[in-house]
Amino acid sequence: MAAIVSMADIEATARGLGIDLSAVNLDSITLPLGEDFGIRSDDDDDLYHEEALELESGFGNVIVVDNLPVVPPEKFEKLEGVIRKIYSQIGVIREGGLWMPVNPETKKTLGYCFIEYNTTQEAELAKEKTNGYKLDKSHIFAVNLFDEIEKYMKIPDEWTPAEIKPYVPGENLQKWLTDEKARDQFVIRAGAFTEIFWNDPRQMMPELVYRRQFWTENFVQWSPMGTYLATVHRQGAAVWGGASTFSRLMRFAHPQVKLIDFSPGEKYIVTYSGHEPSNPRDTHRVVLNFFDVRTGKLMRDFKGSADDFALGSSNLTGVSWPVFRWGGGKEDKFFARLGKNVISVYETETFALIDKKSLKVENVVDFTWSPTDPIIAFFVPELGGGNQPARVSLIQIPSKEEMRQKNLFNVSDIKMYWQNNGEYLAVKVDRHTKTKKSTTTGFELFRIKQRDIPIEVLELENKNDKIVAFAWEPKGHRFAIIHGDGPRPDISFYSMRTAQNVGRVSKLATLKSKQANALYWSPAGRFIVLAGLKGFNGQLEFYNVDELETMATGEHFMATEMEWDPTGRYLATSVTSVHEMENGFHVWSFNGKLLYRIPKDQFCQFLWRPRPPSLLSLEKEEEISKNLKKYSKKYEAEDQDVSLQLSEQDRKKRKMIQEEWDQWAAQWKKLHEEEKQLRLLLRDGEASDEEEEYEAKEVEVEEVIDVNEEVVSFDEDQD
């Protein structure tokens, strides 16, 4: 239950802090957001049973500003004017809401003040903006919420060493990777249940690993390398791990959390919440927290209005997600966000801006990181009615040096696509004519790893074709484009290098009139699924790009989602509860064979468990591929056994048929024994049931079947 604080306790605390409660309008104080009056939800015990939640005392709209100059009465008005000027820019200070206590003996100020805002959001923003504010060399503000003072007062005066808890070895979080059958896991959500399965194509059905009801309040999310499964709750987020037990490893307190994002190397997790203001005139409030995944420590928080985070292309209540984008690679060294005329790049050693300043880029509208290197690509649109061209630039981090720049003219829109190894960057450029009545589309292809980063221009045969989808081949040099304006567009495949043109882009093939609007490359490359979702009702074509041939076609009616497993061996298609019918998922082999169907009512999520990168070098992987027969000999016997095995359903059916036959045969055998005496009687007592006592003789019988008569006539002249 929530702690009950008496008025006497409040007055005593105020006297100790030198606060005149008569000057505070208690009736105007609003309860803090998220107050639950001690009523716990079903998952409180599971998430936070170890520690009681700290509840605010009700002064959330009051801040305490420390390290102010100590001034005599004649300078009091001037100091108050300076403080009011600073803090009135952040929010509305209530009438009589700025109070600086005075030493009754010296009549000088005590070096701190209290400021009361209209809302807790304004108070939190004031703390965020001015904590550490440098008034002069000797006075750097230390700002805290009034509610935090009581927490600080509970700190004992004498230091006591922390209790050292005994070491308890945890579960091996990579154990699931050692599955003897080399299977992959996936998680699904249907209704109130969350379930984790092994994908077992040999048995033509998944094998249940873990099942739990009300595990999350909204969604689940795997970490990028599959170590953790994250859940979201009213109080915050939590991560779980293991192969089968899925015990909770860490929790992250963030009330009303809505979204989460892991860093590529799984070192950090970002949580996001948006809070509606109590006053309609106030702005939507946003809170973002950065936590260390292993320790649960809050590394940095960002708070502000939704307008502060609203720049971007994909909007969620005006906020682009992810707000902060992680730098390439698994080191988790850098993250950045887009601002007005700036890109703010932070480093995780201190969680502060690199060189304490943002990268200034006038009118920048979008940026993206290389997946593998600390390189930022950003886009600036045309300005001055076309007098200043649009441009795409590549910036090296942390030096902030420009590596390459390309000016572009008559540009209406740009989208950037990185190849997952960071070797290539494709920039789709939509250009308008001088009259701006029509647009054409082309591609600028950057070869990032080559000297001076050469750029090629690719234009389709029909420049007016609408680009429906673009996708790079993972770990490869090819890409696919769906293009066309009709209901059945074309699909073209290109290569950044071929035997004939090592340094030039070449077209491999064009498939005409396909029922497809999405491209899904296998994570291993080579194979791609040409998918027709939504309006195409789940049409699937499994295509081999090496051979430029279709392996199979299929259909998952009304399919809404599609995802390859991390090895590229299997594909899952699903119909989520956005449709009232056909909910569930199908699992296919890479070459288009439907392995099994699982119907699930209220089905809403399917996610394969990611795998960490291979520990083998690229050269070693290539050597294994070239000598695959040598390495695969010891697996051939096992594969032969697997190929001869029947599915579990067939084995059960055959066993049932065998049991029915044995039962029928036993009944007739019993009847045969019961009729033995009758057979002896019919055979005059000499007949035997043993076949060995009979003598077989062959008898030949001749039988006239037919007679043919031949009539011969003679001429009269012949004698």
Side-chain angles (χ1 to χ4, degrees):
M1 294 293 292
I4 300 175
V5 182
S6 67
M7 193 63 194
D9 292 334
I10 295 175
E11 292 174 349
T13 302
R15 284 195 300 271
L17 297 173
I19 300 173
D20 184 7
L21 286 180
S22 62
V24 180
N25 184 2
L26 297 178
D27 294 334
S28 65
I29 297 174
T30 58
L31 287 172
L33 292 174
E35 172 63 67
D36 61 4
F37 298 97
I39 301 174
R40 301 166 69 85
S41 71
D42 293 340
D43 57 14
D44 278 353
D45 291 334
D46 187 53
L47 276 178
Y48 295 103
H49 70 281
E50 296 174 4
E51 300 176 12
L53 292 175
E54 294 184 2
L55 302 177
E56 298 177 358
S57 61
F59 295 93
N61 60 333
V62 179
I63 63 172
V64 183
V65 184
D66 205 351
N67 292 339
L68 298 177
V70 178
V71 299
E74 57 268 21
K75 294 185 179 181
F76 184 92
E77 186 176 347
K78 182 178 180 181
L79 177 60
E80 183 181 5
V82 171
I83 296 173
R84 189 177 295 276
K85 181 179 179 181
I86 294 172
Y87 284 93
S88 61
Q89 297 175 4
I90 300 173
V92 179
I93 300 176
R94 287 190 173 180
E95 185 177 352
L98 196 159
W99 178 51
M100 285 190 291
V102 176
N103 188 322
E105 297 179 358
T106 63
K107 305 300 180 183
K108 292 183 179 181
T109 59
L110 294 175
Y112 61 90
C113 73
F114 298 88
I115 300 175
E116 183 183 5
Y117 284 101
N118 278 332
T119 64
T120 57
Q121 288 88 352
E122 291 175 332
E124 291 175 353
L125 184 60
K127 175 189 173 183
E128 173 73 20
K129 297 291 186 182
T130 63
N131 186 37
Y133 178 82
K134 192 174 183 181
L135 185 64
D136 55 45
K137 292 183 178 180
S138 303
H139 300 92
I140 300 175
F141 289 178
V143 184
N144 293 285
L145 296 174
F146 183 82
D147 282 339
E148 297 174 334
I149 300 299
E150 184 177 359
K151 179 179 68 174
Y152 297 143
M153 292 179 65
K154 292 180 180 179
I155 299 175
D157 295 333
E158 295 184 3
W159 176 82
T160 55
E163 179 185 356
I164 300 177
K165 297 180 180 180
Y167 171 73
V168 178
E171 183 181 0
N172 179 5
L173 299 182
Q174 275 71 45
K175 184 179 178 181
W176 63 280
L177 293 169
T178 62
D179 178 59
E180 293 182 354
K181 300 179 182 178
R183 298 173 297 179
D184 280 285
Q185 289 184 347
F186 60 83
V187 61
I188 66 169
R189 289 180 55 245
F193 286 93
T194 302
E195 298 172 307
I196 298 173
F197 292 90
W198 287 112
N199 174 40
D200 202 335
R202 296 177 179 178
Q203 305 300 327
M204 297 296 182
M205 64 172 61
E207 179 184 322
L208 181 64
V209 176
Y210 189 82
R211 187 173 192 259
R212 184 167 177 173
Q213 190 176 18
F214 304 119
W215 197 1
T216 181
E217 293 185 13
N218 195 351
F219 61 91
V220 294
Q221 183 173 325
W222 293 109
S223 59
M225 293 188 286
T227 307
Y228 309 105
L229 180 69
T231 57
V232 292
H233 309 266
R234 181 174 56 86
Q235 306 94 331
V239 293
W240 315 72
S244 58
T245 58
F246 286 93
S247 56
R248 192 185 67 228
L249 304 174
M250 189 54 63
R251 50 189 170 79
F252 314 97
H254 187 157
Q256 303 177 44
V257 62
K258 295 293 188 300
L259 296 169
I260 58 176
D261 183 39
F262 282 95
S263 62
E266 302 183 338
K267 294 179 183 178
Y268 307 103
I269 186 173
V270 186
T271 58
Y272 163 90
S273 63
H275 305 273
E276 295 290 342
S278 55
N279 189 333
R281 293 175 297 178
D282 296 332
T283 58
H284 190 84
R285 191 94 176 113
V286 169
V287 178
L288 291 117
N289 291 331
F290 283 71
F291 294 95
D292 184 295
V293 172
R294 296 186 66 184
T295 66
K297 179 182 178 182
L298 177 63
M299 308 303 296
R300 173 76 191 266
D301 63 355
F302 293 85
K303 299 176 182 178
S305 68
D307 295 338
D308 296 335
F309 301 96
L311 297 175
S313 53
S314 325
N315 289 335
L316 178 74
T317 63
V319 176
S320 170
W321 186 256
V323 175
F324 291 92
R325 306 173 193 178
W326 287 98
K330 307 298 181 185
E331 293 79 14
D332 295 346
K333 288 185 177 181
F334 307 107
F335 61 94
R337 80 176 182 95
L338 191 64
K340 187 176 181 180
N341 298 322
V342 297
I343 300 175
S344 300
V345 185
Y346 300 80
E347 49 85 22
T348 54
E349 186 175 350
T350 62
F351 277 84
L353 286 169
I354 294 177
D355 300 330
K356 299 183 179 180
K357 60 180 70 173
S358 296
L359 177 65
K360 293 184 178 180
V361 185
E362 290 294 326
N363 300 294
V364 60
V365 296
D366 195 15
F367 81 94
T368 179
W369 286 94
S370 162
T372 55
D373 302 297
I375 299 173
I376 285 178
F378 67 79
F379 162 55
V380 177
E382 286 183 339
L383 300 173
N387 293 326
Q388 182 177 334
R391 79 176 193 272
V392 173
S393 296
L394 298 175
I395 303 296
Q396 183 78 48
I397 300 297
S399 66
K400 299 181 182 178
E401 294 180 358
E402 187 173 69
M403 303 169 61
R404 192 73 160 88
Q405 176 181 311
K406 180 65 182 289
N407 292 332
L408 303 164
F409 296 89
N410 302 323
V411 174
S412 58
D413 191 24
I414 272 180
K415 287 188 178 179
M416 296 175 284
Y417 304 90
W418 282 96
Q419 185 252 9
N420 74 326
N421 283 347
E423 295 184 29
Y424 310 108
L425 171 67
V427 179
K428 182 175 77 72
V429 184
D430 295 332
R431 289 185 170 89
H432 54 75
T433 59
K434 291 184 178 180
T435 60
K436 297 187 178 180
K437 292 184 179 180
S438 61
T439 60
T440 61
T441 302
F443 291 88
E444 305 284 333
L445 304 173
F446 293 68
R447 296 178 182 269
I448 305 298
K449 302 295 185 180
Q450 294 185 16
R451 183 178 179 181
D452 298 329
I453 310 181
I455 304 173
E456 284 185 80
V457 178
L458 172 64
E459 293 183 346
L460 302 180
E461 294 178 2
N462 185 353
K463 297 181 181 179
N464 296 320
D465 271 1
K466 176 185 176 182
I467 304 299
V468 179
F470 176 97
W472 283 104
E473 177 187 24
K475 303 178 182 178
H477 53 84
R478 295 174 291 202
F479 58 89
I481 305 173
I482 302 179
H483 55 93
D485 296 315
R488 296 174 69 97
D490 298 338
I491 303 176
S492 295
F493 295 94
Y494 294 84
S495 173
M496 294 295 287
R497 65 172 188 265
T498 61
Q500 294 77 21
N501 296 304
V502 177
R504 298 287 297 176
V505 62
S506 303
K507 186 167 79 169
L508 302 175
T510 295
L511 310 179
K512 297 289 186 179
S513 300
K514 290 294 182 178
Q515 287 185 303
N517 54 15
L519 300 165
Y520 292 89
W521 282 96
S522 162
R526 183 179 177 184
F527 306 113
I528 189 173
V529 174
L530 316 176
L533 305 179
K534 299 179 181 178
F536 288 127
N537 289 327
Q539 298 294 321
L540 308 174
E541 182 172 345
F542 294 80
Y543 195 77
N544 184 337
V545 184
D546 280 1
E547 305 297 332
L548 296 176
E549 64 181 12
T550 298
M551 299 182 292
T553 58
E555 180 183 9
H556 186 174
F557 183 63
M558 301 173 66
T560 56
E561 309 289 339
M562 195 172 303
E563 186 179 4
W564 283 93
D565 85 319
T567 66
R569 296 177 296 173
Y570 305 102
L571 176 81
T573 58
S574 57
V575 179
T576 58
S577 54
V578 295
H579 295 301
E580 295 181 358
M581 301 171 60
E582 305 291 336
N583 288 182
F585 63 95
H586 295 179
V587 174
W588 311 71
S589 66
F590 74 94
N591 56 356
K593 180 183 178 182
L594 179 59
L595 300 177
Y596 57 87
R597 301 182 178 92
I598 303 294
K600 283 280 184 180
D601 291 336
Q602 299 179 331
F603 182 77
C604 54
Q605 196 174 12
F606 181 105
L607 292 173
W608 290 103
R609 188 172 191 173
R611 285 177 174 264
S614 172
L615 299 178
L616 300 176
S617 65
L618 184 60
E619 293 76 13
K620 184 64 176 178
E621 289 185 359
E622 292 178 352
E623 188 266 332
I624 291 175
S625 297
K626 292 179 181 178
N627 300 282
L628 192 58
K629 290 185 178 180
K630 180 182 73 173
Y631 288 101
S632 62
K633 284 182 179 179
K634 67 176 183 178
Y635 302 110
E636 288 179 355
E638 180 181 346
D639 291 343
Q640 183 69 19
D641 293 339
V642 172
S643 65
L644 296 176
Q645 286 181 356
L646 296 170
S647 67
E648 184 67 22
Q649 296 93 327
D650 288 341
R651 286 199 297 272
K652 289 181 179 179
K653 185 177 180 180
R654 285 176 175 270
K655 183 178 180 181
M656 182 183 66
I657 293 173
Q658 180 68 46
E659 290 175 351
E660 290 177 355
W661 163 257
D662 292 342
Q663 184 179 3
W664 181 85
Q667 290 176 350
W668 281 102
K669 186 176 181 180
K670 181 180 178 183
L671 181 61
H672 185 267
E673 290 295 328
E674 292 175 352
E675 295 178 345
K676 184 175 182 179
Q677 295 300 324
L678 178 60
R679 291 195 302 275
L680 290 174
L681 179 62
L682 294 174
R683 298 169 182 169
D684 297 329
E686 297 181 1
S688 172
D689 290 335
E690 300 298 330
E691 294 183 1
E692 292 80 2
E693 298 184 9
Y694 289 89
E695 181 180 353
K697 294 183 178 181
E698 292 185 5
V699 179
E700 294 184 3
V701 179
E702 294 183 0
E703 181 180 355
V704 178
I705 298 176
D706 195 7
V707 176
N708 293 326
E709 294 183 358
E710 182 178 357
V711 179
V712 179
S713 62
F714 296 91
D715 293 338
E716 294 179 355
D717 296 338
Q718 291 180 348
D719 293 330

